[in-house]
Amino acid sequence: MASIFTKIIKGEIPSYKIAEDENFYAFLDINPNAAGHTLCIPKKEVDRLLDLDEETYMGLMAFSRKIGLAIEAAIPCDRVGITVIGLEVPHVHVHLIPLNEMRDATFQHKVPHSKEDFMEIAEKIKEKIK
Ligand code: 5GP
């Protein structure tokens, strides 16, 4: 069965899209640790990061770097943290999380967002993509 993220890529489930190219897709995490928390995923559906072929792995990192730089430019924060966990959704995803303090990286503290918040944040990040 297709993963929830494959359904997002196909547009079968809505997302606040940040960017997309032939091989990768970036969108806001629906339960963010901090404003601007973004997920970058390969369109190829693979569960574990280290099972990606090298080309896709390197491409995902380059794509995540580009989106991470846009987040740093758009969202006031000390830096963007990069985390890969994958215990919830079995489709590789890189978490890009604006960090100001350690709790932003813990996945224990969440920041509720309205639809308007998500839309505004997505637009701000998109404007900064180079
Ligand atoms: P992990 O698998 O790395 O533990 O976490 C999965 C992440 O995906 C979580 O941060 C969760 O909020 C996010 N997530 C799960 N389902 C959806 C969804 O349907 N849409 C979006 N935008 N994010 C999701």
Side-chain angles (χ1 to χ4, degrees), residues 74-124:
I75 307 291
C77 63
D78 180 71
R79 67 194 61 204
V80 168
I82 300 179
T83 305
V84 177
I85 304 174
L87 292 173
E88 184 186 330
V89 179
H91 183 145
V92 173
H93 46 285
V94 174
H95 292 266
L96 301 175
I97 307 169
L99 302 178
N100 287 299
E101 50 188 309
M102 183 51 89
R103 75 172 186 177
D104 300 329
T106 63
F107 295 84
Q108 304 297 318
H109 175 258
K110 296 289 179 174
V111 180
H113 280 44
S114 66
K115 187 178 176 193
E116 289 70 30
D117 294 333
F118 280 120
M119 287 169 65
E120 188 182 326
I121 291 162
E123 284 311 312
K124 278 188 188 166

Short mmCIF file of all heavy atoms in Angstrom, two decimals, residues 74-124:
data_model
loop_
_atom_site.label_atom_id
_atom_site.label_comp_id
_atom_site.label_asym_id
_atom_site.label_seq_id
_atom_site.Cartn_x
_atom_site.Cartn_y
_atom_site.Cartn_z
N ALA A 74 14.01 32.66 5.96
CA ALA A 74 12.60 33.08 6.10
C ALA A 74 12.12 33.11 7.54
O ALA A 74 11.24 33.90 7.89
CB ALA A 74 11.71 32.13 5.30
N ILE A 75 12.66 32.24 8.37
CA ILE A 75 12.13 32.06 9.74
C ILE A 75 13.20 32.48 10.75
O ILE A 75 14.30 31.91 10.76
CB ILE A 75 11.78 30.56 9.98
CG1 ILE A 75 10.84 30.03 8.87
CG2 ILE A 75 11.20 30.35 11.37
CD1 ILE A 75 9.45 30.58 8.88
N PRO A 76 12.88 33.45 11.62
CA PRO A 76 13.87 33.83 12.64
C PRO A 76 14.20 32.63 13.54
O PRO A 76 13.31 32.06 14.15
CB PRO A 76 13.16 34.93 13.43
CG PRO A 76 12.05 35.39 12.56
CD PRO A 76 11.64 34.22 11.73
N CYS A 77 15.47 32.23 13.55
CA CYS A 77 15.88 31.10 14.38
C CYS A 77 17.40 31.14 14.52
O CYS A 77 18.07 31.81 13.73
CB CYS A 77 15.43 29.76 13.77
SG CYS A 77 16.15 29.39 12.16
N ASP A 78 17.90 30.38 15.47
CA ASP A 78 19.35 30.32 15.63
C ASP A 78 19.99 29.55 14.48
O ASP A 78 21.04 29.91 13.97
CB ASP A 78 19.68 29.65 16.97
CG ASP A 78 21.16 29.55 17.19
OD1 ASP A 78 21.79 30.59 17.43
OD2 ASP A 78 21.71 28.43 17.09
N ARG A 79 19.32 28.45 14.08
CA ARG A 79 19.81 27.61 12.99
C ARG A 79 18.74 26.58 12.65
O ARG A 79 17.82 26.36 13.43
CB ARG A 79 21.10 26.89 13.39
CG ARG A 79 20.91 25.86 14.48
CD ARG A 79 22.23 25.41 15.08
NE ARG A 79 22.93 26.54 15.68
CZ ARG A 79 24.26 26.60 15.87
NH1 ARG A 79 25.02 25.59 15.50
NH2 ARG A 79 24.81 27.65 16.43
N VAL A 80 18.92 25.93 11.50
CA VAL A 80 18.01 24.84 11.14
C VAL A 80 18.68 23.52 11.50
O VAL A 80 19.79 23.22 11.03
CB VAL A 80 17.64 24.90 9.65
CG1 VAL A 80 16.95 23.62 9.21
CG2 VAL A 80 16.73 26.10 9.38
N GLY A 81 18.00 22.74 12.33
CA GLY A 81 18.49 21.41 12.68
C GLY A 81 17.98 20.38 11.68
O GLY A 81 16.89 20.52 11.12
N ILE A 82 18.78 19.36 11.43
CA ILE A 82 18.42 18.31 10.47
C ILE A 82 18.37 16.97 11.19
O ILE A 82 19.35 16.58 11.84
CB ILE A 82 19.44 18.26 9.31
CG1 ILE A 82 19.46 19.62 8.59
CG2 ILE A 82 19.12 17.12 8.35
CD1 ILE A 82 20.44 19.70 7.44
N THR A 83 17.23 16.31 11.11
CA THR A 83 17.02 15.05 11.83
C THR A 83 16.35 14.03 10.91
O THR A 83 15.46 14.39 10.14
CB THR A 83 16.07 15.27 13.04
OG1 THR A 83 16.59 16.30 13.86
CG2 THR A 83 15.91 14.01 13.86
N VAL A 84 16.78 12.79 11.01
CA VAL A 84 16.06 11.70 10.33
C VAL A 84 15.70 10.68 11.40
O VAL A 84 16.59 10.19 12.10
CB VAL A 84 16.91 11.05 9.22
CG1 VAL A 84 16.16 9.88 8.59
CG2 VAL A 84 17.29 12.08 8.16
N ILE A 85 14.41 10.38 11.51
CA ILE A 85 13.96 9.38 12.48
C ILE A 85 13.22 8.27 11.73
O ILE A 85 13.77 7.21 11.48
CB ILE A 85 13.07 10.02 13.58
CG1 ILE A 85 13.84 11.17 14.26
CG2 ILE A 85 12.68 8.95 14.61
CD1 ILE A 85 13.03 11.96 15.25
N GLY A 86 11.97 8.53 11.39
CA GLY A 86 11.26 7.58 10.54
C GLY A 86 10.51 6.49 11.28
O GLY A 86 10.08 5.51 10.66
N LEU A 87 10.33 6.64 12.58
CA LEU A 87 9.62 5.59 13.33
C LEU A 87 8.12 5.64 13.11
O LEU A 87 7.42 4.66 13.37
CB LEU A 87 9.94 5.72 14.83
CG LEU A 87 11.38 5.40 15.21
CD1 LEU A 87 11.64 5.71 16.68
CD2 LEU A 87 11.70 3.94 14.92
N GLU A 88 7.60 6.77 12.62
CA GLU A 88 6.15 6.90 12.43
C GLU A 88 5.73 6.61 11.00
O GLU A 88 4.77 5.86 10.77
CB GLU A 88 5.71 8.31 12.84
CG GLU A 88 4.22 8.55 12.78
CD GLU A 88 3.84 10.01 13.06
OE1 GLU A 88 4.56 10.70 13.82
OE2 GLU A 88 2.83 10.45 12.49
N VAL A 89 6.42 7.20 10.05
CA VAL A 89 6.02 7.04 8.63
C VAL A 89 7.14 6.31 7.88
O VAL A 89 8.27 6.80 7.81
CB VAL A 89 5.76 8.42 7.98
CG1 VAL A 89 5.37 8.25 6.52
CG2 VAL A 89 4.66 9.18 8.74
N PRO A 90 6.83 5.13 7.30
CA PRO A 90 7.87 4.32 6.65
C PRO A 90 8.17 4.78 5.22
O PRO A 90 8.04 4.02 4.25
CB PRO A 90 7.26 2.91 6.67
CG PRO A 90 5.79 3.15 6.57
CD PRO A 90 5.52 4.45 7.31
N HIS A 91 8.53 6.05 5.11
CA HIS A 91 8.90 6.65 3.82
C HIS A 91 9.94 7.71 4.18
O HIS A 91 9.60 8.66 4.89
CB HIS A 91 7.67 7.27 3.15
CG HIS A 91 7.90 7.84 1.79
ND1 HIS A 91 6.94 7.79 0.78
CD2 HIS A 91 8.96 8.49 1.25
CE1 HIS A 91 7.41 8.37 -0.30
NE2 HIS A 91 8.63 8.82 -0.03
N VAL A 92 11.16 7.52 3.72
CA VAL A 92 12.28 8.39 4.14
C VAL A 92 11.88 9.86 4.15
O VAL A 92 11.30 10.35 3.17
CB VAL A 92 13.49 8.22 3.20
CG1 VAL A 92 14.58 9.25 3.56
CG2 VAL A 92 14.05 6.82 3.26
N HIS A 93 12.18 10.55 5.26
CA HIS A 93 11.94 11.99 5.34
C HIS A 93 12.99 12.65 6.20
O HIS A 93 13.33 12.15 7.27
CB HIS A 93 10.53 12.31 5.86
CG HIS A 93 10.11 11.54 7.06
ND1 HIS A 93 9.73 10.21 7.01
CD2 HIS A 93 10.01 11.89 8.36
CE1 HIS A 93 9.41 9.79 8.22
NE2 HIS A 93 9.59 10.80 9.07
N VAL A 94 13.47 13.78 5.71
CA VAL A 94 14.44 14.59 6.45
C VAL A 94 13.65 15.71 7.14
O VAL A 94 12.96 16.48 6.47
CB VAL A 94 15.49 15.20 5.50
CG1 VAL A 94 16.41 16.16 6.24
CG2 VAL A 94 16.29 14.09 4.82
N HIS A 95 13.75 15.77 8.47
CA HIS A 95 13.13 16.87 9.21
C HIS A 95 14.07 18.07 9.17
O HIS A 95 15.24 17.95 9.57
CB HIS A 95 12.95 16.50 10.69
CG HIS A 95 11.95 15.44 10.97
ND1 HIS A 95 10.63 15.70 11.28
CD2 HIS A 95 12.07 14.09 11.02
CE1 HIS A 95 9.99 14.56 11.52
NE2 HIS A 95 10.83 13.57 11.36
N LEU A 96 13.58 19.22 8.74
CA LEU A 96 14.33 20.49 8.83
C LEU A 96 13.59 21.32 9.87
O LEU A 96 12.43 21.69 9.66
CB LEU A 96 14.34 21.20 7.49
CG LEU A 96 14.97 20.43 6.32
CD1 LEU A 96 14.80 21.23 5.03
CD2 LEU A 96 16.44 20.16 6.58
N ILE A 97 14.25 21.60 11.00
CA ILE A 97 13.55 22.22 12.13
C ILE A 97 14.26 23.50 12.57
O ILE A 97 15.43 23.44 12.98
CB ILE A 97 13.48 21.24 13.32
CG1 ILE A 97 12.90 19.89 12.88
CG2 ILE A 97 12.65 21.85 14.45
CD1 ILE A 97 13.05 18.79 13.92
N PRO A 98 13.58 24.64 12.47
CA PRO A 98 14.18 25.87 13.00
C PRO A 98 14.38 25.73 14.50
O PRO A 98 13.42 25.43 15.23
CB PRO A 98 13.13 26.96 12.67
CG PRO A 98 12.31 26.38 11.58
CD PRO A 98 12.28 24.91 11.85
N LEU A 99 15.60 25.94 14.95
CA LEU A 99 15.93 25.73 16.37
C LEU A 99 16.31 27.04 17.05
O LEU A 99 17.08 27.83 16.49
CB LEU A 99 17.12 24.77 16.50
CG LEU A 99 17.00 23.38 15.89
CD1 LEU A 99 18.30 22.61 16.10
CD2 LEU A 99 15.83 22.61 16.50
N ASN A 100 15.76 27.23 18.24
CA ASN A 100 16.23 28.31 19.12
C ASN A 100 16.71 27.74 20.44
O ASN A 100 17.56 28.32 21.09
CB ASN A 100 15.12 29.33 19.35
CG ASN A 100 14.90 30.20 18.11
OD1 ASN A 100 15.81 30.90 17.67
ND2 ASN A 100 13.72 30.12 17.52
N GLU A 101 16.16 26.62 20.82
CA GLU A 101 16.58 25.96 22.06
C GLU A 101 16.41 24.46 21.90
O GLU A 101 15.73 23.99 20.97
CB GLU A 101 15.77 26.48 23.25
CG GLU A 101 14.28 26.47 23.03
CD GLU A 101 13.50 27.16 24.15
OE1 GLU A 101 13.76 26.82 25.31
OE2 GLU A 101 12.65 28.00 23.86
N MET A 102 17.02 23.71 22.79
CA MET A 102 17.06 22.25 22.65
C MET A 102 15.67 21.62 22.55
O MET A 102 15.48 20.65 21.83
CB MET A 102 17.85 21.65 23.83
CG MET A 102 18.03 20.15 23.72
SD MET A 102 18.68 19.61 22.13
CE MET A 102 20.42 19.70 22.45
N ARG A 103 14.69 22.19 23.27
CA ARG A 103 13.37 21.55 23.24
C ARG A 103 12.78 21.54 21.82
O ARG A 103 11.95 20.69 21.51
CB ARG A 103 12.41 22.22 24.23
CG ARG A 103 11.89 23.56 23.80
CD ARG A 103 10.79 24.05 24.72
NE ARG A 103 10.24 25.29 24.19
CZ ARG A 103 9.23 25.95 24.72
NH1 ARG A 103 8.66 25.51 25.82
NH2 ARG A 103 8.79 27.04 24.17
N ASP A 104 13.21 22.47 20.94
CA ASP A 104 12.69 22.49 19.57
C ASP A 104 13.10 21.23 18.80
O ASP A 104 12.48 20.88 17.80
CB ASP A 104 13.20 23.73 18.81
CG ASP A 104 12.77 25.03 19.49
OD1 ASP A 104 11.69 25.05 20.10
OD2 ASP A 104 13.53 26.02 19.40
N ALA A 105 14.16 20.58 19.27
CA ALA A 105 14.68 19.40 18.58
C ALA A 105 14.14 18.10 19.15
O ALA A 105 14.43 17.03 18.62
CB ALA A 105 16.21 19.40 18.65
N THR A 106 13.34 18.17 20.22
CA THR A 106 13.04 16.96 20.98
C THR A 106 11.80 16.19 20.51
O THR A 106 11.60 15.06 20.92
CB THR A 106 12.82 17.29 22.47
OG1 THR A 106 11.68 18.16 22.57
CG2 THR A 106 14.07 17.93 23.07
N PHE A 107 10.92 16.82 19.72
CA PHE A 107 9.65 16.20 19.30
C PHE A 107 8.71 15.99 20.48
O PHE A 107 7.72 15.28 20.36
CB PHE A 107 9.89 14.86 18.55
CG PHE A 107 10.61 15.05 17.24
CD1 PHE A 107 11.99 15.13 17.18
CD2 PHE A 107 9.89 15.18 16.05
CE1 PHE A 107 12.64 15.33 15.99
CE2 PHE A 107 10.54 15.37 14.85
CZ PHE A 107 11.92 15.44 14.81
N GLN A 108 9.02 16.59 21.63
CA GLN A 108 8.13 16.52 22.79
C GLN A 108 7.29 17.79 22.88
O GLN A 108 6.18 17.78 23.40
CB GLN A 108 8.95 16.38 24.09
CG GLN A 108 9.88 15.20 24.11
CD GLN A 108 9.15 13.88 24.05
OE1 GLN A 108 8.12 13.71 24.70
NE2 GLN A 108 9.65 12.97 23.25
N HIS A 109 7.86 18.90 22.39
CA HIS A 109 7.18 20.19 22.47
C HIS A 109 6.67 20.55 21.07
O HIS A 109 7.45 20.64 20.12
CB HIS A 109 8.16 21.26 22.95
CG HIS A 109 7.58 22.63 22.94
ND1 HIS A 109 7.85 23.56 21.96
CD2 HIS A 109 6.70 23.23 23.80
CE1 HIS A 109 7.19 24.67 22.21
NE2 HIS A 109 6.49 24.50 23.31
N LYS A 110 5.35 20.73 20.93
CA LYS A 110 4.75 21.00 19.63
C LYS A 110 4.10 22.39 19.63
O LYS A 110 3.66 22.86 20.68
CB LYS A 110 3.70 19.93 19.30
CG LYS A 110 4.31 18.53 19.16
CD LYS A 110 5.12 18.45 17.88
CE LYS A 110 5.77 17.10 17.68
NZ LYS A 110 6.43 17.00 16.37
N VAL A 111 4.03 22.99 18.46
CA VAL A 111 3.48 24.35 18.34
C VAL A 111 2.23 24.29 17.45
O VAL A 111 2.34 24.08 16.24
CB VAL A 111 4.52 25.31 17.71
CG1 VAL A 111 3.95 26.70 17.58
CG2 VAL A 111 5.79 25.31 18.55
N PRO A 112 1.04 24.45 18.04
CA PRO A 112 -0.20 24.38 17.24
C PRO A 112 -0.23 25.48 16.18
O PRO A 112 0.18 26.61 16.45
CB PRO A 112 -1.31 24.61 18.27
CG PRO A 112 -0.69 24.42 19.61
CD PRO A 112 0.77 24.74 19.46
N HIS A 113 -0.68 25.11 14.98
CA HIS A 113 -0.78 26.05 13.86
C HIS A 113 -2.20 26.03 13.30
O HIS A 113 -2.81 24.96 13.18
CB HIS A 113 0.14 25.61 12.72
CG HIS A 113 1.58 25.97 12.90
ND1 HIS A 113 2.26 25.80 14.08
CD2 HIS A 113 2.47 26.47 12.02
CE1 HIS A 113 3.51 26.19 13.91
NE2 HIS A 113 3.67 26.61 12.68
N SER A 114 -2.68 27.20 12.88
CA SER A 114 -3.92 27.27 12.11
C SER A 114 -3.58 27.07 10.63
O SER A 114 -2.40 27.15 10.23
CB SER A 114 -4.58 28.64 12.29
OG SER A 114 -3.76 29.64 11.71
N LYS A 115 -4.62 26.86 9.83
CA LYS A 115 -4.42 26.76 8.38
C LYS A 115 -3.72 28.02 7.86
O LYS A 115 -2.82 27.95 7.02
CB LYS A 115 -5.81 26.60 7.74
CG LYS A 115 -5.76 26.32 6.28
CD LYS A 115 -7.16 26.11 5.71
CE LYS A 115 -7.04 25.94 4.20
NZ LYS A 115 -8.28 26.04 3.48
N GLU A 116 -4.14 29.18 8.38
CA GLU A 116 -3.56 30.45 7.95
C GLU A 116 -2.07 30.51 8.31
O GLU A 116 -1.26 31.00 7.54
CB GLU A 116 -4.31 31.64 8.57
CG GLU A 116 -5.70 31.87 8.02
CD GLU A 116 -6.71 30.79 8.42
OE1 GLU A 116 -6.56 30.21 9.52
OE2 GLU A 116 -7.63 30.52 7.62
N ASP A 117 -1.73 30.03 9.51
CA ASP A 117 -0.32 30.00 9.92
C ASP A 117 0.50 29.19 8.92
O ASP A 117 1.55 29.63 8.44
CB ASP A 117 -0.14 29.34 11.31
CG ASP A 117 -0.77 30.12 12.44
OD1 ASP A 117 -0.88 31.34 12.33
OD2 ASP A 117 -1.14 29.48 13.46
N PHE A 118 0.01 27.98 8.59
CA PHE A 118 0.75 27.11 7.66
C PHE A 118 0.92 27.80 6.31
O PHE A 118 1.99 27.76 5.71
CB PHE A 118 0.00 25.78 7.47
CG PHE A 118 0.20 24.77 8.57
CD1 PHE A 118 -0.88 24.29 9.31
CD2 PHE A 118 1.46 24.27 8.87
CE1 PHE A 118 -0.70 23.34 10.31
CE2 PHE A 118 1.65 23.32 9.87
CZ PHE A 118 0.56 22.85 10.59
N MET A 119 -0.17 28.41 5.82
CA MET A 119 -0.11 29.03 4.49
C MET A 119 0.89 30.19 4.48
O MET A 119 1.68 30.33 3.54
CB MET A 119 -1.50 29.50 4.07
CG MET A 119 -2.40 28.32 3.70
SD MET A 119 -4.13 28.74 3.51
CE MET A 119 -4.09 29.81 2.13
N GLU A 120 0.86 30.99 5.53
CA GLU A 120 1.76 32.15 5.60
C GLU A 120 3.22 31.69 5.68
O GLU A 120 4.10 32.21 4.99
CB GLU A 120 1.40 32.98 6.84
CG GLU A 120 2.12 34.30 6.94
CD GLU A 120 1.75 35.04 8.22
OE1 GLU A 120 0.61 34.93 8.68
OE2 GLU A 120 2.64 35.72 8.76
N ILE A 121 3.49 30.69 6.50
CA ILE A 121 4.86 30.18 6.66
C ILE A 121 5.35 29.57 5.34
O ILE A 121 6.49 29.81 4.92
CB ILE A 121 4.92 29.14 7.80
CG1 ILE A 121 4.69 29.85 9.14
CG2 ILE A 121 6.23 28.39 7.80
CD1 ILE A 121 4.31 28.91 10.27
N ALA A 122 4.50 28.79 4.69
CA ALA A 122 4.90 28.16 3.42
C ALA A 122 5.26 29.24 2.40
O ALA A 122 6.28 29.11 1.69
CB ALA A 122 3.78 27.27 2.90
N GLU A 123 4.48 30.29 2.33
CA GLU A 123 4.77 31.36 1.35
C GLU A 123 6.10 32.02 1.67
O GLU A 123 6.90 32.29 0.76
CB GLU A 123 3.63 32.40 1.36
CG GLU A 123 2.38 31.95 0.64
CD GLU A 123 2.65 31.37 -0.75
OE1 GLU A 123 3.39 31.99 -1.53
OE2 GLU A 123 2.15 30.25 -1.02
N LYS A 124 6.35 32.30 2.95
CA LYS A 124 7.61 32.95 3.35
C LYS A 124 8.81 32.11 2.94
O LYS A 124 9.82 32.62 2.46
CB LYS A 124 7.64 33.14 4.87
CG LYS A 124 6.90 34.35 5.37
CD LYS A 124 7.18 34.52 6.87
CE LYS A 124 6.30 35.59 7.45
NZ LYS A 124 6.26 35.58 8.90
#
